[in-house]
Amino acid sequence: MPEIQCHLSKGKKVPHPEEENETRSVVEDDDPKCNDVLNEIQNDLNYINEACHKLKNSADCVDGKMKRLILQCWEAAFKERSQRREAPENSPRINKLKRTQEAVSILKNQICSSPQFSPDSLPSTSSAMRTDSELQNQQPSVNVEVLYGGLGVTQKDCLLCFSVFPEDEIIKKKVLIHWWIGEGFIDGENAEETGNEYFKDFIEKGIIELVRKKRRGKSENCKMQTSIRSAIIRLAISAKFVGFNSKGNPTANFSSSQRVFLVNTEEGSSLHDLTYIYHYLNQEDIKTLFNVNEPRLNFRVARFSKMKNLKVLQLGRWKDSAKQLVEVENTEFLKGLKKFKKLRYFSLRGISGITELPNSICKLSELRILNLSGCDNLEKLPDGIGSLKQLTHLDMSECYLISHMPKGLATLLALQILKGFVIGKQSPSGRYCKLADLARLQHLRKLSIHVDRTCPEAEKELYSLPKFRKLQSLSVAWSSIYNATTSTTTNVGLAKIQRIVSRENSLKTLAKIHRILSREKSMPTNPGSTSHLVDLHKLDLQNFHGSKMPDWLRPLNLKNLKKLYIRGGELSDLRLPGDQEDHSWAVECLRLKSLSELRMDWPKLQQLFPKLKSAEPVYYPPLSSSPRDDNGEWIWSAADVKAHATSHATDATVVEGADTIGDKAAGKRPVG
């Protein structure tokens, strides 16, 4: 084996370019099939080289165990030599030796009897040199192989996707579900529900675990134990689902699989390998191109265009944190998208350097999901976006330089989720999409809107929301919107600063304007059709400039509202205009952040939200002394307040009158 490795290492010498060209010309002139033979030889040599490295690691691991066992035997024999007793056949030492003997026998048979190396029979290099105690601690908490064998074909493929994410990384559920939809593992109108069921099943089986954020009951993030990930990697290699190198990183080598992964390490970039090493492979075979951590994307236009059978194109960041930076040197390669007739999932999330999307994106007739979130240089969407008739998800949130929506947006009849819709100043041409135009989207259930607070006319469009019959989740944020028609700069930092300054300077003025306009506006009412009103389950308001809840909420059906999030702004009262004193919300989850003007005491808040199960206050002075648990959440019932105070009786910050605090929470006055 050392001789083979030595021979292979010598064979890695890179020929001089002139010699290489000369050799290629001779080969091409001699026989066109020679290239194919040489490619097969190179693949076999690479495989043998990788197998030798893995086999060497296995041998080193066995050798280390043998040495430790010999030392343990000598030590035990020295201690027991005075007793002159033979060790029983079932002693732990004998059992260890037998297990080691079996491992060595298997290794010997692999070397001597078969030239083929089974990837899943070789230990991963990350665990090859660990000690006995480390290996014992790293044993999977569940039998992954048994659980995997009990899954259906589709669920197996979904599980193998976890193998490509780095060790100990937190993974967003949404990223994986979108990947599964793109691959076609799950499909149809209920695809996300199916994906959620798969996640729930993986959690119940102990394959993945939820990662909860502080003060959040529900989590959308997960992670996988190192030992379980190692087992999933072996399964992925065995199924030829993903190609991995000897260090456990997914590669750009798609000779055995149809998936390419861009990974940047100290040893190099797999994007470079895809361009210069695996260029001889047929690019049309690639079905998934996933950027794991490549920070700079630089594709050759001709080669990128050949990947015309792609179904999944994840170029942007997948991490929840913005610390994962991705940028493009130029966007010329995106023109090749016109050939990608099978693409279903396309993500440019968080990529810097994209100012506009080429019209070629409008040729993606099978596209289901388009994620443009965080493209902070993006100034406009293509006018022909309405041709994406299969599109169900469009995310444009945090695209700070977009000032208007293209008219074709209203023709995306399959759209279910739309994030980042902009309501700005009216354009003189009138060729932009208004909020009312989206009312024809019968499948739209989740909508987030960005309203220009410097334009009073913009808020009038919100009165069309009662027409959205299937809407379940609504998010509205107010701030100043960058206007590309009046400024030539595309500096993202300047656009953000303009927003902040405008928000602070015009806050009180806009509040007065809003109150004046609200008196003059005639409320849209539709008596007799209450059964068809919007049935919202979640409402999120950010930086609202009025002191009272907005009037356009009244026509909406808020009786079944379960989640209410309010962040920033000048709200002083959470009751809807015109409501009686005894009116209450059905909200179960409440989050209030940075509401410095809110003037509602604890009893009134309890009366307004009697069904509340969880609440999260951040900087709310009137309730700064309200009882909270160890996670910072409000303790809602008097019984829970007393129980919490009793359990923390030694804490000086809670000792002060547990009964009094409980009475305050219940709306009672302390006696005496």
Side-chain angles (χ1 to χ4, degrees), residues 562-582:
K562 302 300 181 184
K563 298 178 181 179
L564 177 61
Y565 303 161
I566 304 178
R567 293 174 279 181
E570 292 190 334
L571 277 174
S572 61
D573 194 335
L574 300 184
R575 290 173 298 184
L576 290 175
D579 281 343
Q580 302 297 326
E581 287 292 332
D582 59 348

Short mmCIF file of all heavy atoms in Angstrom, two decimals, residues 562-582:
data_model
loop_
_atom_site.label_atom_id
_atom_site.label_comp_id
_atom_site.label_asym_id
_atom_site.label_seq_id
_atom_site.Cartn_x
_atom_site.Cartn_y
_atom_site.Cartn_z
N LYS A 562 -53.78 34.57 16.04
CA LYS A 562 -53.06 33.85 17.09
C LYS A 562 -51.74 34.52 17.46
O LYS A 562 -51.27 34.39 18.59
CB LYS A 562 -52.79 32.41 16.64
CG LYS A 562 -54.05 31.62 16.29
CD LYS A 562 -54.99 31.51 17.48
CE LYS A 562 -56.24 30.70 17.11
NZ LYS A 562 -57.22 30.67 18.23
N LYS A 563 -51.13 35.22 16.50
CA LYS A 563 -49.82 35.81 16.74
C LYS A 563 -49.87 37.30 16.38
O LYS A 563 -50.30 37.66 15.29
CB LYS A 563 -48.74 35.12 15.91
CG LYS A 563 -48.56 33.64 16.22
CD LYS A 563 -47.51 33.02 15.33
CE LYS A 563 -47.34 31.54 15.62
NZ LYS A 563 -46.32 30.91 14.73
N LEU A 564 -49.40 38.12 17.31
CA LEU A 564 -49.33 39.57 17.08
C LEU A 564 -47.95 40.06 17.46
O LEU A 564 -47.54 39.97 18.62
CB LEU A 564 -50.39 40.30 17.91
CG LEU A 564 -50.38 41.83 17.82
CD1 LEU A 564 -50.63 42.29 16.38
CD2 LEU A 564 -51.42 42.44 18.76
N TYR A 565 -47.20 40.58 16.47
CA TYR A 565 -45.85 41.10 16.68
C TYR A 565 -45.86 42.59 16.33
O TYR A 565 -46.26 42.97 15.23
CB TYR A 565 -44.82 40.39 15.80
CG TYR A 565 -44.76 38.89 15.96
CD1 TYR A 565 -44.18 38.09 14.98
CD2 TYR A 565 -45.27 38.26 17.08
CE1 TYR A 565 -44.11 36.71 15.10
CE2 TYR A 565 -45.22 36.88 17.23
CZ TYR A 565 -44.64 36.12 16.23
OH TYR A 565 -44.58 34.75 16.37
N ILE A 566 -45.43 43.42 17.26
CA ILE A 566 -45.35 44.87 17.02
C ILE A 566 -43.96 45.34 17.43
O ILE A 566 -43.57 45.18 18.59
CB ILE A 566 -46.43 45.64 17.81
CG1 ILE A 566 -47.82 45.10 17.46
CG2 ILE A 566 -46.36 47.12 17.49
CD1 ILE A 566 -48.94 45.76 18.23
N ARG A 567 -43.25 45.92 16.48
CA ARG A 567 -41.86 46.32 16.73
C ARG A 567 -41.67 47.78 16.29
O ARG A 567 -41.88 48.12 15.14
CB ARG A 567 -40.90 45.41 15.96
CG ARG A 567 -40.88 43.99 16.44
CD ARG A 567 -40.03 43.10 15.56
NE ARG A 567 -40.76 42.68 14.37
CZ ARG A 567 -40.24 41.88 13.43
NH1 ARG A 567 -39.00 41.46 13.54
NH2 ARG A 567 -40.95 41.53 12.39
N GLY A 568 -41.25 48.61 17.24
CA GLY A 568 -40.94 50.00 16.93
C GLY A 568 -42.18 50.81 16.62
O GLY A 568 -43.30 50.31 16.50
N GLY A 569 -42.01 52.13 16.54
CA GLY A 569 -43.11 53.02 16.22
C GLY A 569 -43.60 53.80 17.42
O GLY A 569 -42.97 53.82 18.48
N GLU A 570 -44.76 54.44 17.26
CA GLU A 570 -45.28 55.34 18.29
C GLU A 570 -46.64 54.91 18.84
O GLU A 570 -47.40 55.72 19.35
CB GLU A 570 -45.40 56.75 17.72
CG GLU A 570 -44.06 57.40 17.42
CD GLU A 570 -44.22 58.88 17.10
OE1 GLU A 570 -45.31 59.28 16.65
OE2 GLU A 570 -43.26 59.63 17.32
N LEU A 571 -46.96 53.66 18.77
CA LEU A 571 -48.23 53.17 19.29
C LEU A 571 -48.32 53.40 20.80
O LEU A 571 -47.39 53.07 21.54
CB LEU A 571 -48.40 51.68 18.99
CG LEU A 571 -48.94 51.31 17.60
CD1 LEU A 571 -48.90 49.81 17.41
CD2 LEU A 571 -50.34 51.84 17.41
N SER A 572 -49.44 53.95 21.23
CA SER A 572 -49.68 54.14 22.66
C SER A 572 -50.82 53.28 23.17
O SER A 572 -51.00 53.11 24.37
CB SER A 572 -49.99 55.61 22.96
OG SER A 572 -51.17 56.02 22.28
N ASP A 573 -51.61 52.71 22.25
CA ASP A 573 -52.77 51.90 22.62
C ASP A 573 -52.90 50.76 21.61
O ASP A 573 -52.78 50.98 20.40
CB ASP A 573 -54.03 52.77 22.60
CG ASP A 573 -55.21 52.09 23.30
OD1 ASP A 573 -55.20 50.85 23.37
OD2 ASP A 573 -56.12 52.80 23.76
N LEU A 574 -53.14 49.54 22.10
CA LEU A 574 -53.22 48.37 21.23
C LEU A 574 -54.66 48.01 20.87
O LEU A 574 -54.89 47.01 20.20
CB LEU A 574 -52.54 47.16 21.89
CG LEU A 574 -51.05 47.33 22.21
CD1 LEU A 574 -50.49 46.04 22.77
CD2 LEU A 574 -50.27 47.76 20.98
N ARG A 575 -55.62 48.81 21.31
CA ARG A 575 -57.01 48.54 20.94
C ARG A 575 -57.30 49.12 19.55
O ARG A 575 -56.78 50.16 19.19
CB ARG A 575 -57.96 49.14 21.97
CG ARG A 575 -57.93 48.44 23.33
CD ARG A 575 -58.75 49.19 24.34
NE ARG A 575 -58.22 50.53 24.58
CZ ARG A 575 -58.70 51.37 25.48
NH1 ARG A 575 -59.73 51.00 26.23
NH2 ARG A 575 -58.17 52.57 25.64
N LEU A 576 -58.17 48.42 18.83
CA LEU A 576 -58.56 48.92 17.51
C LEU A 576 -59.46 50.13 17.66
O LEU A 576 -60.25 50.21 18.61
CB LEU A 576 -59.29 47.83 16.73
CG LEU A 576 -58.44 46.65 16.26
CD1 LEU A 576 -59.33 45.60 15.61
CD2 LEU A 576 -57.36 47.10 15.29
N PRO A 577 -59.39 51.10 16.75
CA PRO A 577 -60.26 52.29 16.83
C PRO A 577 -61.73 51.89 16.82
O PRO A 577 -62.17 51.09 16.00
CB PRO A 577 -59.89 53.07 15.57
CG PRO A 577 -58.52 52.61 15.22
CD PRO A 577 -58.44 51.19 15.64
N GLY A 578 -62.48 52.44 17.78
CA GLY A 578 -63.90 52.17 17.84
C GLY A 578 -64.29 50.98 18.69
O GLY A 578 -65.48 50.74 18.92
N ASP A 579 -63.29 50.22 19.19
CA ASP A 579 -63.61 49.06 20.03
C ASP A 579 -64.11 49.50 21.40
O ASP A 579 -63.69 50.54 21.93
CB ASP A 579 -62.39 48.16 20.19
CG ASP A 579 -62.17 47.30 18.96
OD1 ASP A 579 -63.12 47.16 18.16
OD2 ASP A 579 -61.05 46.77 18.80
N GLN A 580 -64.97 48.66 22.00
CA GLN A 580 -65.45 48.92 23.34
C GLN A 580 -64.36 48.62 24.36
O GLN A 580 -63.37 47.95 24.08
CB GLN A 580 -66.69 48.05 23.63
CG GLN A 580 -67.84 48.25 22.65
CD GLN A 580 -68.39 49.66 22.71
OE1 GLN A 580 -68.43 50.29 23.76
NE2 GLN A 580 -68.84 50.17 21.56
N GLU A 581 -64.55 49.09 25.57
CA GLU A 581 -63.55 48.90 26.63
C GLU A 581 -63.33 47.42 26.94
O GLU A 581 -62.25 47.01 27.31
CB GLU A 581 -64.00 49.63 27.90
CG GLU A 581 -63.87 51.14 27.83
CD GLU A 581 -62.42 51.59 27.79
OE1 GLU A 581 -61.56 50.86 28.33
OE2 GLU A 581 -62.13 52.64 27.20
N ASP A 582 -64.43 46.63 26.81
CA ASP A 582 -64.32 45.22 27.16
C ASP A 582 -63.88 44.35 25.99
O ASP A 582 -63.88 43.11 26.08
CB ASP A 582 -65.65 44.70 27.71
CG ASP A 582 -66.78 44.87 26.69
OD1 ASP A 582 -66.57 45.57 25.68
OD2 ASP A 582 -67.86 44.30 26.92
#
